[in-house]
Amino acid sequence: MPNVSPACRAGLAVLAMTVVSAQPASAQQTAPFFDGRRLPDLEVERRNQDVQQEQRRQQDADAKKLAAEQRLAAETEAKKRADEQRIAAETEAKKKADEQRIAAETEAKKKADEQRTAAETEARKRADEQRIAAETEAKKRADEQRTAAETEAKKRADEQRLAAETEAKKRADEQRTAAETEAKKRADEQRLAAETEAKKRADEQRLAAEAARQTAARTAALAPSAVPVVPEPTAPRPGPSAPSVGGSTGACEAPKITVEPLTGGRLKAMIDSPCRRGQVVTMTYGDLPRAVQLDAATGKASVILDLYLGDGQDFVLSTADGKTEAIPAVSAKDQRAYSKLALIWKMPVDLNLHAIENNAQIGAAGHIHAGAPRTAEDALALATSTEVGAGFMSSLSTGKLGDVHVEVYTFFHHSEQSTGAVPLAIEHATRGQTATGETCGQGALAEIAYEAVLLSKTGDVVREDGVIPSVACGTVLLDRVRFIRGAVPDIRFRR
């Protein structure tokens, strides 16, 4: 039978077997030749109809099931497509929303960053302006205080120097006046004695000549034919000459010199020459002379000699009368524990050497110069206790006495210090903060030639020449111009 499922066929087979088995045995035995194809059987017909109805019901059920499955598949496919479209739409919408959100957030962040940057820039600008104003005011006050202090100190020093010079001059004048009075008194006494002796001898010679003349006259009277002989009067012999004022002019001995080694490559030389009181002697180191003023009353002087050319050069002391004395350059035991930078110039101006230790600010601790020179003992103690190198101004000069002027910065090294350098700078202190007069333009003291000598702790010496340039008159010099960096070599060190 077409369009009948296997389940239906199985059901019909079972039904047929049931019908056959349900027939009475007597009937089966009494009608062995019964042919159902020829005679209609109502029961079979009914069963066939039932089977057909069952088959139609099964077909309807199968059709409904298939339709349901197809509808379910269509609904599932439609739902799947709807879900995919919905998900795609939601994804696209979410993507667009995310892009819009990200764009909005990016724009908002950009504006916020711009506003924050602008606010920070403005705040930094105001802070810098306030800091610069505060630093300028503090520097101005510090400069005013320093200038006032330096002026007061200079005034006191000048007063003390003038008082000392006046007192020394007074004593020297008194001693000179007393010596001249004593010498004049002795000369007058000797002159009077010589004149008295000469007058006495002249009187004796005159009396003897008068007696001889009288004797000759008498002889002539007794013998008129004879020629009278009148002896010539003998000229009086001069007495001893008067000595010159000031006594004997014998040669002055060479100065006596004693030397004491000091910390940081220096010597203390004590000069003693009483016969050269108030004179200026010359101390030459290498090819560089240095003037030293002897005391007007005692002829003594104490001077610190800086070994910035190393201990291979000796000092030579020269006097105005041609005497010379060599002074051996004997340094202390720390001769390899330091470096030196010497600034040398010849013009009559005050140049200041500045050392900037450990990135110090101008005027702060670590800014070493003539106004804050630090002592050798303090520098050595600082370098030892902190394991960081430290230095001091071992020689200073105001540029007044002599033809050559020297300032020296000495730096004590420490073996544990990291690699680095101490920057050094030059200041035209006579020019100051405002260039005026001879220190600017075409003035005689506007452009200053100098020499820098670097002595390393290995003993090597490097010499360089340089020039401090002129500036326009009236220029107010800021620190970066007033303190000229890079004009002299830095002191470098490495671990």
Side-chain angles (χ1 to χ4, degrees):
M1 290 181 293
N3 297 326
V4 179
S5 63
C8 292
R9 292 192 183 97
L12 292 175
V14 171
L15 183 58
M17 291 177 65
T18 303
V19 172
V20 171
S21 60
Q23 291 180 2
S26 59
Q28 294 177 0
Q29 293 175 357
T30 58
F33 300 107
F34 176 77
D35 185 2
R37 289 178 297 175
R38 296 181 179 182
L39 294 177
D41 190 338
L42 295 177
E43 184 65 25
V44 173
E45 288 290 334
R46 184 182 58 80
R47 290 177 180 171
N48 289 339
Q49 289 176 358
D50 290 339
V51 169
Q52 291 175 358
Q53 289 178 357
E54 181 66 27
Q55 289 176 350
R56 283 193 296 270
R57 284 195 300 273
Q58 186 64 36
Q59 290 176 354
D60 292 339
D62 290 341
K64 290 180 180 180
K65 180 179 179 182
L66 180 60
E69 289 176 351
Q70 290 175 349
R71 179 177 54 78
L72 181 60
E75 290 177 353
T76 301
E77 181 66 20
K79 185 176 182 301
K80 178 180 177 183
R81 291 180 182 176
D83 290 339
E84 289 176 349
Q85 292 174 352
R86 177 179 55 79
I87 292 172
E90 290 176 352
T91 302
E92 182 66 20
K94 185 175 181 300
K95 179 181 178 182
K96 291 181 180 179
D98 289 342
E99 289 175 350
Q100 292 174 350
R101 177 179 56 78
I102 292 172
E105 290 177 352
T106 302
E107 182 65 21
K109 184 175 182 300
K110 179 180 177 181
K111 291 181 179 178
D113 289 343
E114 290 175 350
Q115 293 174 350
R116 178 177 54 78
T117 302
E120 290 177 351
T121 301
E122 182 65 21
R124 190 181 301 109
K125 179 181 177 182
R126 291 180 182 175
D128 289 342
E129 291 174 349
Q130 293 174 351
R131 177 179 56 79
I132 292 172
E135 289 178 351
T136 302
E137 182 65 21
K139 183 179 182 300
K140 179 180 177 182
R141 292 180 182 175
D143 288 343
E144 291 174 350
Q145 293 174 351
R146 178 178 59 80
T147 302
E150 289 177 352
T151 303
E152 181 66 21
K154 186 175 182 299
K155 179 180 176 182
R156 292 180 182 175
D158 289 342
E159 291 174 350
Q160 293 174 352
R161 177 178 56 78
L162 289 174
E165 289 177 353
T166 302
E167 182 65 22
K169 186 175 182 300
K170 179 181 177 182
R171 291 180 182 177
D173 289 342
E174 290 175 350
Q175 293 174 351
R176 178 176 54 78
T177 301
E180 289 177 353
T181 301
E182 181 66 21
K184 187 175 182 300
K185 179 181 177 181
R186 291 180 183 177
D188 289 342
E189 291 174 350
Q190 292 175 354
R191 179 176 54 78
L192 290 174
E195 289 176 354
T196 301
E197 181 66 21
K199 187 175 182 298
K200 178 181 177 182
R201 289 182 181 178
D203 289 342
E204 290 175 351
Q205 291 173 354
R206 181 176 55 77
L207 291 174
E210 182 65 23
R213 186 179 61 77
Q214 292 176 359
T215 300
R218 287 194 298 269
T219 302
L222 294 175
S225 59
V227 178
V229 178
V230 182
E232 294 289 336
T234 305
R237 290 180 296 176
S241 61
S244 61
V245 176
S248 175
T249 58
C252 188
E253 296 181 353
K256 295 180 181 179
I257 304 171
T258 56
V259 178
E260 175 188 353
L262 299 178
T263 302
R266 298 171 299 154
L267 299 176
K268 182 179 181 182
M270 283 73 74
I271 306 170
D272 187 3
S273 185
C275 59
R276 297 181 178 85
R277 294 187 296 267
Q279 294 185 16
V280 175
V281 297
T282 302
M283 191 75 70
T284 303
Y285 185 38
D287 57 348
L288 302 172
R290 174 185 177 183
V292 178
Q293 178 80 51
L294 299 181
D295 185 76
T298 64
K300 296 182 178 181
S302 177
V303 59
I304 303 299
L305 306 178
D306 212 316
L307 306 181
Y308 55 87
L309 294 179
D311 51 11
Q313 290 282 349
D314 290 342
F315 290 85
V316 177
L317 186 143
S318 304
T319 64
D321 56 355
K323 295 291 192 301
T324 59
E325 284 290 322
I327 304 175
V330 181
S331 59
K333 294 180 180 179
D334 61 351
Q335 61 180 347
R336 289 296 175 265
Y338 57 80
S339 294
K340 289 178 178 287
L341 193 287
L343 175 65
I344 305 166
W345 72 99
K346 296 183 179 180
M347 297 292 286
V349 296
D350 184 12
L351 298 185
N352 285 343
L353 185 62
H354 293 258
I356 310 299
E357 299 178 355
N358 301 318
N359 298 319
Q361 297 295 321
I362 298 297
H367 174 201
I368 310 301
H369 56 101
R374 195 188 278 157
T375 64
E377 291 72 21
D378 289 344
L380 187 58
L382 182 62
T384 302
S385 63
T386 62
E387 297 186 356
V388 176
F392 70 105
M393 298 302 300
S394 54
S395 292
L396 295 172
S397 174
T398 60
K400 294 181 179 179
L401 181 63
D403 297 328
V404 178
H405 319 291
V406 181
E407 283 205 358
V408 183
Y409 170 74
T410 299
F411 179 79
F412 290 107
H413 293 269
H414 194 285
S415 59
E416 298 300 323
Q417 186 172 20
S418 301
T419 300
V422 177
L424 292 118
I426 303 175
E427 176 196 10
H428 192 330
T430 302
R431 178 188 291 164
Q433 192 171 9
T434 303
T436 58
E438 292 296 304
T439 65
C440 61
Q442 300 299 319
L445 306 179
E447 188 174 272
I448 308 299
Y450 64 88
E451 181 184 12
V453 178
L454 176 62
L455 172 67
S456 66
K457 69 176 182 178
T458 60
D460 296 328
V461 177
V462 177
R463 305 178 73 158
E464 297 181 0
D465 295 328
V467 174
I468 297 178
S470 175
V471 297
C473 292
T475 302
V476 177
L477 304 176
L478 301 177
D479 285 352
R480 65 177 180 273
V481 179
R482 182 179 176 187
F483 303 104
I484 308 172
R485 294 193 179 185
V488 295
D490 297 339
I491 292 181
R492 300 188 176 277
F493 45 83
R494 63 178 56 188
R495 189 169 180 177

